[in-house]
Amino acid sequence: MSLIHELVDEGVAPGVPVALVVAPGVGIALSWNSGRRVIADKDPLRVVAEVDTLGPRWIWWTSREDAEPLVASGIRPRACWDLGAVGRLLHGLSRDDAGAVWAAAFGLEQPPRAEGELSLLDLAGEAGDAVREDGHLSREWLRGGWADDLDRAQRWADVALRLHAVQEELVRALPDRRTGRGSTTLPYFIALSESMAALVCVELAHDGLPVDRAVLEEFLTTTVGPRPRTEVEEVSARHRRDREVWRHFPGEPVDLRNPSTVRDLLARAGIEVPDTRSWRLEPYAATSPGISALLAWRKAERVATTYGWAWAERDIGGDGRLRGTWTAAEGAGRMTASAGLHNLPSELRPSVRPLEGRVLVRADLGQIEPRVLAAVSGDAALAEAAREDDMYAPVARALSSDRATAKIAVLAAMYGQTSGAAGAALRDMDRTYPTAMAFLRAAEESGRRGADLRTYGGRLLPLSKLAGSPAAEGPDSDSAHGRGRFARNAVVQGAAAELFKAWTATVRAGLVGLDARIVMCLHDELLVEANEPDSARVVALMGTALESTASWWCAGSGVRLVAEVSVADTWADAH
DNA sequence: TCGGTCACGTA
DNA sequence: CGTACGTGACCGAG
């Protein structure tokens, strides 16, 4: 009987949680509720690929470490439960190492980060078991002490399965705040999609974003000059750009990279400003060629330092793929990316372009934050507005204002604006959408007090641990107000991030069998690189995936979620 | 060598 | 208007 048939007999089936531990070059250990076994094989990843066809829900410590070798070998696991990602969700952790996640699940103190050599003190009280007498995981095991022996790998998989059981119970105990509840709780769905987002992060880091080097190099050459071959060339290119600004100002040249000397320079020209931020200088640009030159210099300098030749050399591979490291949830719960992936200036987007025959399918969620506010606050009137394609239109009618004012008022409410022109509109918001406004105020109040909050999907926002001590500084300090604004925004931004990741996971599942992959996640925007013949199916998938996600994410709320989808050869054209 | 500040890109 | 994040240059303290 084949391995696969045996596993099926023993209860491995689609959706069944199976803890996986890979011992490189040795084999794998599996552990699930109705069985456990080790499989010795010199090529363990081949075995994982085989078992994945049964569709188990892989349980692993973190996708970052455990899925990386799978993805690198070409495996695209169907489903997982990422203990680290769920640990972050449940406990508001800023780390996801096994020792920390385990401790949090059992209500223990966070252990010190396991780094450096183990001392005798560390090993005291460890009798060779994975779990110590004090309930923490063994430092020896955390450092990979299980990896050369399948028997120990099996015990390590058992430990993961046990943590999964505890996490699952904790997740199921979280409140489900939906209007229309189903049999599966919302936080449970979110635990799954947060896990899948962590896996997507590994795939994004592996696959990279396609860059057309010729287009990029043309742009860099015209903006900052040709690629410098020596340090001398680099200095002279800098100097050439600097001179374009200096020639507009009489007297000694100053260091343009030092804001305080720039401020002096402007003062000499009769322009007094408290700081030299571009939005403050912008009004002078029309009348002062010097300011205009300085602003142009700033743009070029940004490219030269952050998105210039050095960046291209460092972060774009020989295969023309821009790669960074991705995290699935930081701060309020958004994904983050390094290597400039999340703040690529729009001028660079024409360079994001796949090879001939492939296209980019771009989809973005329209007006996502106000729609999310309507859903998570349970405000019936705002949900009514969120039935429309453009929800600011009905809001404007309700506030008897124009659309622009309505938009400002809604955004001001979500971001905690304290001053400005939205004052009157904000008071109308209070009258028209009292439930949503009370929801936001309650979040701000929690933040100010330093009381922990959970997002709609169950993410713990550890406001008691945020900068500034709530106890020492009192509820009216600057840091208390800072936490208040953060909390007010985080309950919306965080829930929007959860929705986005759930949508992303659904899109990913729908891509199986197509020649297409997700190459960018940008808060409310998804980019899929696809073989041209498959692009129409990807376009359709973006919409159907959103519908099916909305059917559980905001069940019963009446809120409509909308995605705008387009296909193009470059990121810039997909708008 | 480090943290703080300024600046600025995206959402 | 305000929030989140990552990056880089500079300053001043150590």
Side-chain angles (χ1 to χ4, degrees):
Chain A
M1 197 149 108
S2 78
L3 166 67
I4 290 299
H5 287 109
E6 285 174 27
L7 292 176
V8 170
D9 275 359
E10 292 166 35
V12 176
V16 169
V18 177
L20 167 69
V21 166
V22 176
V26 180
I28 65 170
L30 306 178
S31 191
W32 65 103
N33 273 337
S34 57
R36 65 201 286 268
R37 68 186 292 159
V38 297
I39 300 156
D41 198 301
K42 288 271 185 291
D43 182 10
L45 299 184
R46 188 190 60 78
V47 182
V48 174
E50 203 178 329
V51 180
D52 189 61
T53 61
L54 295 178
R57 178 184 301 156
W58 295 116
I59 298 167
W60 47 53
W61 292 102
T62 66
S63 298
R64 184 166 40 73
E65 291 184 358
D66 300 309
E68 198 279 331
L70 310 189
V71 169
S73 76
I75 303 172
R76 294 288 146 132
R78 284 167 172 69
C80 73
W81 180 287
D82 182 308
L83 295 165
V86 177
R88 283 175 174 253
L89 180 76
L90 272 170
H91 313 296
L93 302 177
S94 54
R95 47 194 280 210
D96 56 17
D97 55 293
V101 176
W102 175 273
F106 288 95
L108 305 171
E109 287 278 308
Q110 286 289 285
R113 286 178 194 270
E115 49 199 354
E117 290 300 304
L118 288 185
S119 69
L120 284 176
L121 198 64
D122 288 322
L123 297 172
E126 293 188 6
D129 286 338
V131 183
R132 304 194 311 207
E133 280 171 21
D134 65 0
H136 283 280
L137 291 180
S138 150
R139 309 256 297 180
E140 165 72 15
W141 284 69
L142 287 169
R143 288 164 57 90
W146 46 267
D148 46 12
D149 174 65
L150 279 184
D151 206 50
R152 281 159 71 88
Q154 176 77 83
R155 286 155 72 193
W156 195 231
D158 292 344
V159 172
L161 186 70
R162 199 176 138 201
L163 177 54
H164 168 260
V166 173
Q167 285 193 340
E168 195 174 87
E169 197 171 326
L170 292 171
V171 167
R172 286 193 197 280
L174 294 177
D176 187 338
R177 306 209 307 239
R178 288 174 298 175
T179 326
R181 296 181 188 91
S183 54
T184 306
T185 62
L186 178 77
Y188 191 81
F189 279 120
I190 295 299
L192 295 178
S193 64
E194 291 293 319
S195 294
M196 292 310 290
L199 177 55
V200 167
C201 286
V202 174
E203 297 177 334
L204 287 164
H206 176 267
D207 293 341
L209 186 69
V211 172
D212 186 324
R213 230 179 251 285
V215 176
L216 176 64
E217 292 184 358
E218 165 73 22
F219 170 76
L220 291 182
T221 302
T222 58
T223 311
V224 300
R227 183 202 301 269
R229 278 163 306 185
T230 64
E231 210 152 308
V232 175
E233 282 187 7
E234 193 174 341
V235 170
S236 83
R238 268 163 64 122
H239 197 69
R240 196 161 50 241
R241 294 200 305 272
D242 292 359
R243 271 203 310 270
E244 280 305 304
V245 180
W246 288 337
R247 69 187 181 85
H248 292 280
F249 295 91
E252 274 299 293
V254 303
D255 181 1
L256 297 172
R257 291 161 191 83
N258 183 340
S260 76
T261 57
V262 170
R263 196 166 159 265
D264 295 344
L265 179 77
L266 298 182
R268 269 176 11 216
I271 296 169
E272 302 273 356
V273 280
D275 60 66
T276 71
R277 290 183 165 85
S278 28
W279 62 266
R280 211 185 278 286
L281 302 182
E282 202 63 59
Y284 300 93
T287 51
S288 160
I291 296 280
S292 180
L294 177 61
L295 291 174
W297 177 92
R298 282 257 176 89
K299 267 190 123 48
E301 181 71 4
R302 164 71 41 185
V303 170
T305 56
T306 309
Y307 305 99
W309 295 105
W311 164 78
E313 178 73 27
R314 187 182 62 241
D315 296 328
I316 303 176
D319 56 359
R321 314 286 300 192
L322 170 59
R323 290 186 179 82
T325 54
W326 290 74
T327 68
E330 290 289 328
R334 276 183 169 183
M335 297 173 81
T336 64
S338 70
L341 281 158
H342 273 181
N343 30 5
L344 216 59
S346 56
E347 306 95 288
L348 276 150
R349 294 190 177 191
S351 321
V352 176
R353 176 184 192 131
L355 295 174
E356 195 66 32
R358 300 183 70 79
V359 292
L360 293 174
V361 180
R362 172 184 181 272
D364 78 294
L365 302 178
Q367 303 174 342
I368 188 59
E369 293 200 341
R371 287 175 203 278
V372 163
L373 173 61
V376 304
S377 67
D379 188 301
L382 198 57
E384 181 65 32
R387 288 174 192 276
E388 303 280 323
D389 270 2
D390 171 21
M391 71 177 283
Y392 295 124
V395 171
R397 285 197 296 277
L399 301 184
S400 311
S401 70
D402 57 26
R403 185 183 178 282
T405 308
K407 181 175 177 179
I408 289 170
V410 172
L411 296 178
M414 288 189 297
Y415 296 151
Q417 183 189 331
T418 48
S419 63
L426 271 172
R427 280 190 295 281
D428 290 339
M429 286 283 294
D430 261 323
R431 213 179 45 245
T432 316
Y433 307 112
T435 310
M437 296 299 276
F439 170 84
L440 292 168
R441 237 191 311 278
E444 173 157 16
E445 184 50 33
S446 272
R448 216 178 312 193
R449 289 199 321 270
D452 292 347
L453 268 178
R454 278 191 194 275
T455 62
Y456 177 71
R459 176 173 304 281
L460 183 72
L461 302 169
L463 295 158
S464 58
K465 296 188 190 69
L466 228 57
S469 145
E473 295 185 49
D476 211 43
S477 60
D478 281 357
S479 67
H481 284 283
R483 282 196 311 272
R485 278 196 307 278
F486 170 80
R488 174 185 277 265
N489 182 248
V491 289
V492 179
Q493 190 193 96
E498 289 154 8
L499 164 63
F500 176 79
K501 284 179 263 187
W503 177 48
T504 300
T506 311
V507 168
R508 179 190 182 275
L511 290 176
V512 171
L514 301 182
D515 182 3
R517 53 191 168 173
I518 297 171
V519 291
M520 171 61 74
C521 293
L522 189 46
H523 311 318
D524 66 350
E525 179 178 355
L526 262 182
L527 225 47
V528 170
E529 179 187 342
N531 201 11
E532 207 283 328
D534 280 345
S535 61
R537 297 174 70 176
V538 175
V539 169
L541 171 64
M542 297 288 205
T544 55
L546 184 59
E547 272 175 44
S548 68
T549 303
S551 74
W552 58 263
W553 189 82
C554 53
S557 71
V559 169
R560 203 155 74 83
L561 302 174
V562 296
E564 192 185 314
V565 188
S566 63
V567 184
D569 290 329
T570 81
W571 193 4
D573 294 330
H575 279 88

